[in-house]
Amino acid sequence: MRIRILGAAAGGGLPQWNCNCPNCRAARSGDSHVVPRTQSSVAVSADGCAWFILNLSPDIRTQIHSFPPLSPQGDAPRGTGIAGAILTDAEIDHTLGLLLLREGCPFPVHSTPTVRRWLNRYLPIEPVVSRFTPRPWVELIPGEPCPLRTPGGDESGLTVTVFELDSHLPRFVTDPSEDPAGAVAGLIIEGPGGGRMVYAPGVARITPGLRAAAEKADLVMIDGTFWTGDEMIRLGLGTRDASDMGHLPVGDAGGSLEWLSGLAAARKVYLHINNTNPMLNDAGPEAARVREAGISIGRDGDEFGIG
Ligand code: MLT
Ligand code: MN
Ligand code: ZN
């Protein structure tokens, strides 16, 4: 199984268009210690031909151009290496790319029923896209393995199983009576050679389900949004802390770094990293702490092979 990070940043990317935080400034000025990153997305394939995209970011067009296997192969007038998309939540940074791929190629989208409902009721991506191109939708039920098929119906060799992570609602889901079950999922993806990865870009707390999945994984790709809980507030960039936004910080006491450090997985990678997170500065003490724990700070273009 081959895994490629298409975009390692959280919503907004690095640099974010309107942000003047230290990292965004450094990235904008070409500082080699703060490498620009596009928004949250990963591509996975068993054979190097049929690729499943985990979350479709608003940067998908740039990401496709930066990774040739996703472009048309052969001589057909239209084509793509994208065999399907899998959404972990309904957030704008993870779903807007679906609108941008409206020109055709009938690859299916996979999500929980809840995410699908919200992408009809509040952010109506499914009905809008379906006016342009058929976009079949496969509903993923937590705990039930789903073999991933190519648009032609062949087995891709990959199986996805979702597990529930959190009941955090996107800001645009405004009806408090909405059932939040399935709002934020993690993915377990298994390949034909027995390799197993966990993808969890939205982790509010280390749940028993995440713990169990990560303990059996060769590769763990996990939420690296914030270093500290009050990062946005301290920088004067917002009023909500990390837990209000559904993200467990990396570096705080009880944060994800403590847990990940002791995890046996061969590869551990932070993803969905917000531009304010000081670990994005390769020369800083936070990045050093993460590296010393044997964990990678994801970058666009990083590749992994497992199983
Ligand atoms: C998140 O990851 O918390 C969301 O994508 C926030 C947002 O950008 O709306
Ligand atoms: Mn996000
Ligand atoms: Zn910034």
Side-chain angles (χ1 to χ4, degrees), residues 44-114:
V44 185
S45 177
D47 61 5
C49 298
W51 290 87
F52 291 83
I53 313 297
L54 316 183
N55 290 321
L56 272 171
S57 96
D59 293 321
I60 188 65
R61 182 176 177 279
T62 312
Q63 293 167 343
I64 288 170
H65 290 315
S66 70
F67 188 44
L70 301 183
S71 287
Q73 312 288 316
D75 297 326
R78 291 277 167 97
T80 177
I82 299 176
I86 310 174
L87 310 177
T88 59
D89 55 53
E91 297 284 355
I92 287 175
D93 55 343
H94 283 159
T95 59
L96 217 62
L98 263 174
L99 284 178
L100 307 178
L101 302 185
R102 66 191 176 285
E103 292 91 351
C105 296
F107 63 79
V109 180
H110 305 68
S111 78
T112 63
T114 299

Side-chain angles (χ1 to χ4, degrees), residues 119-200:
L119 293 179
N120 279 267
R121 194 171 294 172
Y122 297 96
L123 178 62
I125 287 180
E126 184 178 5
V128 170
V129 168
S130 70
R131 305 298 297 178
F132 292 83
T133 194
R135 191 63 78 220
W137 210 289
V138 179
E139 294 189 353
L140 299 173
I141 308 304
E144 290 184 13
C146 171
L148 292 171
R149 296 181 182 281
T150 67
D154 297 328
E155 300 252 346
S156 69
L158 301 175
T159 300
V160 65
T161 309
V162 297
F163 56 97
E164 297 215 38
L165 265 177
D166 190 26
S167 53
H168 182 81
L169 266 52
R171 276 201 248 190
F172 53 79
V173 174
T174 47
D175 182 347
S177 69
E178 279 282 357
D179 178 2
V184 184
L187 309 178
I188 300 166
I189 299 182
E190 290 163 277
R196 184 190 286 236
M197 70 175 281
V198 167
Y199 174 70

Side-chain angles (χ1 to χ4, degrees), residues 19 21 24 275-276:
C19 188
C21 77
C24 285
N275 53 66
T276 50

Side-chain angles (χ1 to χ4, degrees), residues 91 93 245 247 272:
E91 297 284 355
D93 55 343
M245 296 176 74
H247 299 289
H272 189 278

